[in-house]
């Protein structure tokens, strides 16, 4: 009975508009079919917000459990732990579990989420396996919660996208519509995590949607907006990183400074990319199964965390301090050296993680260095531009 009713509903919406027009959507035209997809996207936005909440709570739970031996889901920094040399073993333990999850749960949890979502769109017809929706947030939360120097963005993109794809597969939508709902889930997850509905849509369009058309952009934007609204009630108000007021006009010198910061940030990103690729190549040379690679990367993370505890975990507190201009030279040095090394090695080992938060931290640290010789435009200005 339920399946017959649902079939009638989908048939009704599927016949709305001109079928001939569906094959001629090379411009900005659309059909009433977008109404049906938008309704589904609103529901996916709600789901994505709760997925983001679960992921953040899991990160807080594992961090408190492994570093402070207490039961709590509040997000805290591992930097305040009192484990001493034992801190080296925490990332290794987490990485061992992740290797087991990847081998016996789903290999799709390896990596930082965004390339896997792109692959699902381009190669797999926007189909994501149901088990990814379970294993990806769990493995990523465990990775970050045991000190992995990563962010929650990539995992939430993959997990939110997985739920969008699963709903589209259940209703038997077309490949194009599956892509739209996958991206809607990804954008909703990003918006709920960072309280950034507009930026989430732009990121989704650039990385995943590959088009700028009403048939896909409208549902994705609605999912992002809905996730942000739900976030207010279940997570709280944004933004995640408050910043002090900055000048409304920065002048020619400030504009030229931004150009310089952009060029140097591009050089840093290229260097980091090469470092990750080099680490991946080195791990492939090891005569052991890839299941054990994250544990080896975990050793490097643990040593780095012992030397510079602020390098461990998601690092949102350090990013916030950068934007307020409240960091020291020792912190900057630790970010640019220790954080960069352990992030490259751990990501190259194939663990489950996200990359945006570490890149923001590294870009902000670079901006702090550049602020020493660029025009003074208030605390945190050049750090923000560097991010």
């Amino acid at each position: 009975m339920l399946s017959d009713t649902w079939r009638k509903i989908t048939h009704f919406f599927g016949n709305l508009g001109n079928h001939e027009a569906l094959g001629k959507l090379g411009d900005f035209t659309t059909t009433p079919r977008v109404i049906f997809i938008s309704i589904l996207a609103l529901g996916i936005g709600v789901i994505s917000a709760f997925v983001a909440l679960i992921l953040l709570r899991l990160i807080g739970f594992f961090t408190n459990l492994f570093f402070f031996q207490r039961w709590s889901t509040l997000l805290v920094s591992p930097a305040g732990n009192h484990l001493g040399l034992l801190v080296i073993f925490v990332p290794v333990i987490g990485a061992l579990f992740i290797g087991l999850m990847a081998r016996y749960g789903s290999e799709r949890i390896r990596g930082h989420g965004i390339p896997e979502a792109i692959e699902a769109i381009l190669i797999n017809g926007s189909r994501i396996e149901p088990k990814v929706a379970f294993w990806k947030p769990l493995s990523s939360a465990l990775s970050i919660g045991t000190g992995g120097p990563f962010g929650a963005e990539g995992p939430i993109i993959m997990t939110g996208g997985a739920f969008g794809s699963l709903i589209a597969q259940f209703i038997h939508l077309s490949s194009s519509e599956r892509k739209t709902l996958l991206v809607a889930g990804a954008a909703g997850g990003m918006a709920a995590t960072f309280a950034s509905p507009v930026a989430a849509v732009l990121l989704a369009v650039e990385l995943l949607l590959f088009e700028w058309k009403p048939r896909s952009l409208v549902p994705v934007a609605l999912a992002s907006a809905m996730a942000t609204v739900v976030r207010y009630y279940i997570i709280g108000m944004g933004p995640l990183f408050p910043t002090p007021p900055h000048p409304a006009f920065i002048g020619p010198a400030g504009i030229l400074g931004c150009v310089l910061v952009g060029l140097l940030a591009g050089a840093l990103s290229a260097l980091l990319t090469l470092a990750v690729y080099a680490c991946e190549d080195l791990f492939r040379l090891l005569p052991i199964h890839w299941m054990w690679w994250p544990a080896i990367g975990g050793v490097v993370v643990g040593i780095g965390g012992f030397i510079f505890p602020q390098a461990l975990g998601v690092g949102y507190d350090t990013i916030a301090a950068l934007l307020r201009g409240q960091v020291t030279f020792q912190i900057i040095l630790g970010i640019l050296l220790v954080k960069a090394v352990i992030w490259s090695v751990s990501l190259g080992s194939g663990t489950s993680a996200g990359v945006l938060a570490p890149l923001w931290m590294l870009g902000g640290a670079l901006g702090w260095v550049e602020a020493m010789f660029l025009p003074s435009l208030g605390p945190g200005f050049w750090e923000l531009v560097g991010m």
Side-chain angles (χ1 to χ4, degrees):
M1 177 69 70
L2 181 61
S3 60
D4 290 341
T5 303
W6 183 253
R7 191 179 299 110
K8 292 176 182 177
I9 293 172
T10 54
H11 180 73
F12 170 77
F13 279 103
N15 285 291
L16 283 174
N18 189 341
H19 281 287
E20 185 179 352
L22 291 175
K24 299 179 179 179
L25 289 176
D27 54 7
F28 288 93
T29 61
T30 189
T31 71
R33 175 75 173 179
V34 75
I35 299 173
F36 175 55
I37 302 301
S38 296
I39 294 172
L40 293 175
L42 288 171
I44 290 171
V46 175
I47 295 172
S48 297
F50 281 96
V51 169
L53 173 66
I54 292 170
L55 179 59
L56 293 174
R57 291 292 182 265
L58 280 173
I59 293 172
F61 171 75
F62 286 126
T63 304
N64 281 283
L65 179 63
F66 282 95
F67 286 98
F68 302 100
Q69 297 78 56
R70 63 194 180 199
W71 296 90
S72 175
T73 58
L74 295 176
L75 279 177
V76 293
S77 172
N81 73 84
H82 301 286
L83 295 176
L85 280 171
L86 291 177
V87 74
I88 297 175
F89 298 97
V90 175
V92 179
I93 294 171
L96 284 172
F97 279 109
I98 292 166
L100 290 169
M101 291 179 188
R103 183 170 183 179
Y104 299 107
S106 172
E107 190 178 346
R108 309 305 303 166
I109 68 172
R110 303 178 71 210
H112 58 85
I114 297 177
E116 290 75 21
I118 295 173
E119 182 181 2
I121 291 171
L122 295 180
I123 299 176
N124 298 330
S126 300
R127 292 183 177 89
I128 297 179
E129 296 175 309
K131 57 186 177 182
V132 174
F134 173 78
W135 289 113
K136 186 62 179 180
L138 182 61
S139 62
S140 299
L142 182 60
S143 174
I144 299 170
T146 54
F150 307 110
E153 317 75 32
I156 194 60
I157 285 176
M158 188 64 175
T159 307
F163 277 96
S165 174
L166 291 175
I167 291 173
Q169 291 177 64
F170 176 77
I171 306 174
H172 303 293
L173 299 182
S174 66
S175 175
S176 176
E177 291 167 340
R178 281 198 304 270
K179 179 181 73 171
T180 297
L181 293 186
L182 186 157
V183 178
M190 280 289 293
T193 303
F194 296 104
S196 56
V198 177
V201 174
L202 295 177
L203 181 70
V205 168
E206 180 182 6
L207 291 178
L208 303 173
L209 206 52
F210 312 127
E211 64 182 25
W212 190 270
K213 299 175 182 178
R215 65 174 182 180
S216 53
L217 183 60
V218 170
V220 170
L222 287 173
S224 180
M226 177 59 76
T228 306
V229 171
V230 176
R231 179 194 200 274
Y232 171 79
Y233 295 100
I234 64 174
I235 298 178
M237 289 287 288
L240 187 61
F241 305 123
T243 59
H246 293 137
F249 179 72
I250 61 176
I255 295 295
L256 290 175
C258 290
V259 172
L260 177 62
V261 172
L263 291 172
L264 293 178
L268 176 63
S269 67
L271 182 63
L272 291 170
T273 302
L274 290 173
V276 172
Y277 288 159
C279 291
E280 289 178 345
D281 292 339
L282 289 174
F283 275 105
R284 290 192 185 99
L285 297 176
L286 295 177
I288 57 176
H289 194 277
W290 55 257
M291 179 183 74
W292 305 107
W293 297 353
I296 298 173
V299 174
V300 178
V301 173
I303 295 173
F306 178 73
I307 297 171
F308 180 62
Q310 289 85 350
L312 295 173
V314 70
Y316 287 163
D317 56 330
T318 303
I319 294 173
L322 277 166
L323 292 173
R324 294 192 301 267
Q326 298 174 346
V327 294
T328 62
F329 177 75
Q330 288 77 11
I331 297 292
I332 298 300
L333 192 63
I335 293 173
L336 292 176
L337 294 180
V338 179
K339 183 80 174 184
V341 170
I342 67 173
W343 175 78
S344 302
V345 173
S346 188
L347 187 61
S349 71
T351 190
S352 180
V355 300
L356 294 186
L359 293 178
W360 291 337
M361 189 185 295
L362 289 161
L366 181 65
W368 187 94
V369 174
E370 294 160 339
M372 292 191 293
F373 55 85
L374 291 174
S376 178
L377 294 171
F381 178 84
W382 294 112
E383 290 86 338
L384 180 61
V385 176
M387 290 181 189

